[in-house]
Amino acid sequence: MQSVKIGVLGLGTVGSGTVNVLSRNLKEITRRAGRDIEVARAADRSFDSPKGCETDGIALTTDAHEIVSDPEIQIVVELIGGTGIARELVLEALSNGKHVVTANKALIAMHGNELFAKAQEKGVTIGFEAAVAGGIPIIKAMREGLAANSIEWLAGIINGTGNFILTEMRDKGRDFADVLAEAQALGYAEADPTFDVEGIDAAHKLTIMASIAFGVPLQFDKAYTEGISEISQEDVKYAAELGYRIKHLGVAKKTDTGIELRVHPTMIPERRLIANVDGVMNAVLVQGDAVGPTLYYGAGAGSDATASAVVADIIDIVRSLNTAPENRVPHLGFQDDALIDTPILPVSEVITSYYLRVHTEDKPGVLADITRIMGEQGISIEAILQKEPEEQGGIVPVIMLTQQVVEKNMDAAIAQIEALASVKNSVMRIRVESLG
Ligand code: HSE
């Protein structure tokens, strides 16, 4: 079957990430989408400096209008940002009957009503998962996974730059301006960083989520925004003394009289999971009447993370081009004829670290025997702890943390340790996963 040709507008941080993810995961993406996806064309302001992705094989242009009017292009991916030329190009692409995928939160929050109407009229789709909370699939979760619920409220840390600033101020006592400069250097901040620190970027994202949660038109102009630039070290410290953390939160809540739509610095009890979302990470807490609270956490910005959501939207559209409506999303996510025979490993081949507890007699040479066995099985000990016996000559617990090892080697080591005359009872093992 012919590949689906896409045109990418903007090869900056997210545009390059999109090309990279599509090329790196090409085979798996084809198995999921059912068709090859080809980045046929890409536009950028200039190609004088190198891009963050390979551009060989992509027809490049500085005139994005060429792409949105190219009859070969089925999906236009708008990653320019802003509401000027981006809006113009998206409207043109839709008018030309092309599907659009965008990461542009300002565009959707401010002009989404107009763009969606145009898409309806033309029978095409606009995918905008990447516009809210970067790589977290929060739009899909709310629009599909939580569709049974009446959503009561949602609250999110939806600006990585602001969260990074507040985290560094709290943990390291750093100054606001100093941390902001670092976030800009890391490529997280908006072109105009006041969008981050004054809550405008978060309000764009909140506006989109509120419309999906409550079924109301997008109304960015009615969102209340208050920034974090007035937060001082003093406030951060007093909040901590009172058992709270200060987070820049976007809150959308349904009340008897209307919908609250607000972004402002907020004190949250430190025991709440969302209060512990630190650095540039994002999280959204959604309260549904049936499911209760659900929490979504992940990278809210960055090249590959945002591309993850852009590419997911592209795959969704390709699936819809391809298959009958009832099979739009294959049952297992991959096309039925694209399942492959990768073996499931027996537990003896699993690789993890371990916590071990051994009860031994308190006499010379026991520890040496244990560590010799571990060494012979190629197991490296990361930490070891021996407690004093409760009584003279009694049994002592020896606690070890190991580095990663294949389970069959650990089985062999444990069997040998248990066979030592000085070892009492069986060895207690707990697998350790750092999940980092
Ligand atoms: N400036 C945004 C942030 C980028 O810091 O979260 C992602 O929208």
Side-chain angles (χ1 to χ4, degrees), residues 14 103 105 130-134 157-164 183 187-193 195-197 201-202 205 280-282 299-302 306:
V14 182
K105 53 255 165 165
V132 181
I157 294 172
I158 42 182
N159 181 269
T161 303
N163 201 42
F164 181 59
Y188 291 116
E190 294 301 297
D192 175 353
F195 273 43
D196 296 299
V197 296
D201 175 75
K205 297 165 182 166
V280 294
M281 300 308 274
N282 281 197
T306 310

Side-chain angles (χ1 to χ4, degrees), residues 135-314:
I136 307 174
I138 184 65
I139 291 181
K140 196 169 273 264
M142 285 203 297
R143 218 161 49 179
E144 299 176 32
L146 299 180
N149 289 264
S150 172
I151 307 275
E152 293 165 352
W153 54 263
L154 62 90
I157 294 172
I158 42 182
N159 181 269
T161 303
N163 201 42
F164 181 59
I165 292 172
L166 290 173
T167 305
E168 291 286 301
M169 284 176 76
R170 190 193 72 227
D171 288 356
K172 302 186 186 150
R174 290 177 66 188
D175 278 345
F176 183 90
D178 173 34
V179 192
L180 174 58
E182 190 182 339
Q184 286 176 288
L186 290 169
Y188 291 116
E190 294 301 297
D192 175 353
T194 58
F195 273 43
D196 296 299
V197 296
E198 296 307 333
I200 299 160
D201 175 75
H204 288 146
K205 297 165 182 166
L206 183 71
T207 299
I208 299 171
M209 288 197 291
S211 288
I212 292 170
F214 308 127
V216 294
L218 295 150
Q219 295 161 80
F220 169 71
D221 54 329
K222 303 215 177 102
Y224 170 79
T225 55
E226 188 182 307
I228 54 170
S229 48
E230 300 297 315
I231 300 289
S232 67
Q233 269 302 336
E234 219 185 343
D235 300 317
V236 173
K237 267 194 260 149
Y238 287 137
E241 272 178 39
L242 294 165
Y244 287 82
R245 298 225 168 134
I246 302 175
K247 292 289 179 190
H248 203 190
L249 218 59
V251 180
K253 193 185 282 182
K254 193 162 56 184
T255 75
D256 291 342
T257 50
I259 291 166
E260 295 178 8
L261 194 61
R262 50 192 169 93
V263 175
H264 48 71
T266 312
M267 300 229 319
I268 311 174
E270 67 188 4
R271 65 179 182 281
R272 293 266 176 265
L273 274 176
I274 197 165
N276 293 281
V277 171
D278 286 334
V280 294
M281 300 308 274
N282 281 197
V284 183
L285 186 56
V286 183
Q287 173 78 24
D289 71 327
V291 70
T294 56
L295 180 65
Y296 308 85
Y297 167 85
S303 180
D304 276 17
T306 310
S308 162
V310 170
V311 174
D313 275 346
I314 296 172

Side-chain angles (χ1 to χ4, degrees), residues 318-342:
V318 173
R319 281 171 173 157
S320 72
L321 299 176
N322 216 16
T323 43
E326 66 275 18
N327 288 325
R328 194 183 66 76
V329 182
H331 291 111
L332 295 178
F334 291 86
Q335 301 295 321
D336 292 344
D337 59 1
L339 299 180
I340 54 174
D341 210 9
T342 309

